[in-house]
Amino acid sequence: MSDNKTDEPLAVVGAGVMGTAIAALAVGHGHPVTLIDSSPQARDGAPDRVRLHLRTAQMMGTLPDGRPTGRLTLASTPDAAAEASSVIEAVTEDPKEKAAVLADLAAATSPGTLLVSNTSGVPIDELAGAVPRPEDLVGVHFMNPAYLIRTVEVILGPRTGDGAATAVHTLLAGLGRRGIVVGDGPGFVTSRLLHRMINDAIEVVREGRATPETVDALMRDCIGHRTGPLATADLIGLDNLADSLRVLHDRTGDTAFRPSELLLAKVRQGQLGRKSGRGFYDYEEAIR
Ligand code: NAD
């Protein structure tokens, strides 16, 4: 298992909301990054989005001063991760897709290469079942935006090896992140609590009891939630939120996680939140 120095090459798979933000965090700390996505459209837009994230991170003072930015390379298939010392998977929250990508990544890299999944809620041990080297797999739930929020949730599955547990802390320390370790299981801690609350907030809007603005104002100004649950839903991406709720519902049977009909209707209409320019709120331009 490597020492994960900040000039070591990393691979990030999935160039969406999280993948581009994690790539910005890593190049901003000096790592050369190979960003892999199977979608040509996602690859085309990725360099501009990473640049935008980097500018925001620099403005907010969340990157180390004076460290040269690592090189960003785009690729379309997991074999491009072969030289990476650590690989971070951030593809769509589809358990089968994630399992297939992680299996390909394990095949493309040498034993001891740290395999990280940024899943919001698929149990790490479920994914480990698809990976030939389950001891190298760890969950790291980077928060959104990954280049601003310094604390992350770390999930060590029952089959995670000691080498991977040490390597993930070294990687995170090099990226200036604090990892808090939690037990494995659907939604870990943060998604189990947050997604239930957001889904319920959407139900309040569907029932006509309050507008998104009112729900968010109450949760911000009375309860101290930083943005309000509907604004958070738009930031996450409504398609990803629906997928993550399905993962939780399928694995727990808890009906609180059944995606609200209003959420599903918005996804069907292409209203995906900030990433499409419209969700529970309107945005001047689509921001990924
Ligand atoms: P997204 O839809 O914005 O991006 C997913 C990307 O994965 C897309 O560009 C897609 O083309 C790519 N992809 C899908 N299948 C692929 C494959 N087989 N090979 C390569 N690329 C593939 O999703 P996101 O919001 O960035 O979420 C990514 C992961 O991070 C999910 O597991 C999600 O639950 C998790 N997550 C999301 C947030 C959030 O706020 N959005 C926060 C924490 C964790």
Side-chain angles (χ1 to χ4, degrees):
M1 203 56 69
S2 91
D3 288 338
N4 280 310
K5 301 196 177 54
T6 54
D7 58 352
E8 287 191 340
L10 302 187
V12 178
V13 191
V17 170
M18 292 306 292
T20 55
I22 295 166
L25 171 70
V27 296
H29 280 77
H31 287 282
V33 172
T34 303
L35 181 54
I36 302 167
D37 201 295
S38 50
S39 149
Q41 200 190 355
R43 289 198 303 277
D44 288 349
D48 278 349
R49 291 206 304 280
V50 172
R51 263 192 294 276
L52 183 67
H53 295 327
L54 265 177
R55 255 205 317 275
T56 309
Q58 273 149 358
M59 262 166 35
M60 304 292 281
T62 61
L63 295 178
D65 280 339
R67 191 176 299 169
T69 302
R71 201 157 79 93
L72 180 74
T73 309
L74 273 297
S76 58
T77 51
D79 52 314
E83 301 306 318
S85 59
S86 305
V87 181
I88 301 169
E89 170 279 307
V91 307
T92 315
E93 186 78 353
D94 171 338
K96 285 203 181 95
E97 194 74 35
K98 281 190 180 293
V101 168
L102 285 165
D104 286 348
L105 288 168
T109 52
S110 30
T113 305
L114 181 66
L115 302 172
V116 172
S117 176
N118 185 51
T119 175
S120 296
V122 183
I124 294 306
D125 204 48
E126 179 180 328
L127 295 173
V131 177
R133 301 181 341 243
E135 67 278 10
D136 288 340
L137 182 66
V138 175
V140 176
H141 191 193
F142 285 92
M143 301 292 144
N144 181 1
Y147 48 86
L148 294 185
I149 302 183
R150 290 185 191 270
T151 303
V152 301
E153 189 175 21
V154 174
I155 305 98
L156 305 179
R159 285 181 269 183
T160 301
D162 291 344
T166 304
V168 74
H169 284 292
T170 309
L171 173 69
L172 292 173
L175 293 173
R177 305 297 95 171
R178 176 175 71 128
I180 297 182
V181 178
V182 301
D184 199 12
F188 321 122
V189 174
T190 54
S191 299
R192 176 169 159 179
L193 301 181
L194 181 67
H195 284 46
R196 177 194 298 272
M197 193 260 278
I198 296 177
N199 200 36
D200 218 10
I202 298 171
E203 275 296 278
V204 167
V205 174
R206 188 189 64 78
E207 289 165 10
R209 205 184 294 183
T211 63
E213 289 82 356
T214 304
V215 173
D216 280 352
L218 285 165
M219 292 302 285
R220 262 194 333 263
D221 302 343
C222 302
I223 308 294
H225 189 275
R226 196 181 295 174
T227 62
L230 283 318
T232 301
D234 277 358
L235 176 71
I236 290 172
L238 303 189
D239 49 350
N240 176 246
L241 180 63
D243 288 344
S244 301
L245 282 164
R246 269 190 216 98
V247 162
L248 281 157
H249 185 231
D250 289 350
R251 282 155 187 75
T252 63
D254 185 339
T255 54
F257 293 124
R258 186 185 294 139
S260 164
E261 278 305 322
L262 176 58
L263 174 65
L264 297 177
K266 285 200 173 285
V267 173
R268 278 195 300 274
Q269 290 158 14
Q271 295 181 22
L272 305 181
R274 279 174 177 241
K275 64 165 94 169
S276 70
R278 185 157 196 210
F280 289 100
Y281 296 93
D282 289 335
Y283 302 88
E284 271 176 27
E285 54 178 333
I287 314 163
R288 292 191 76 100

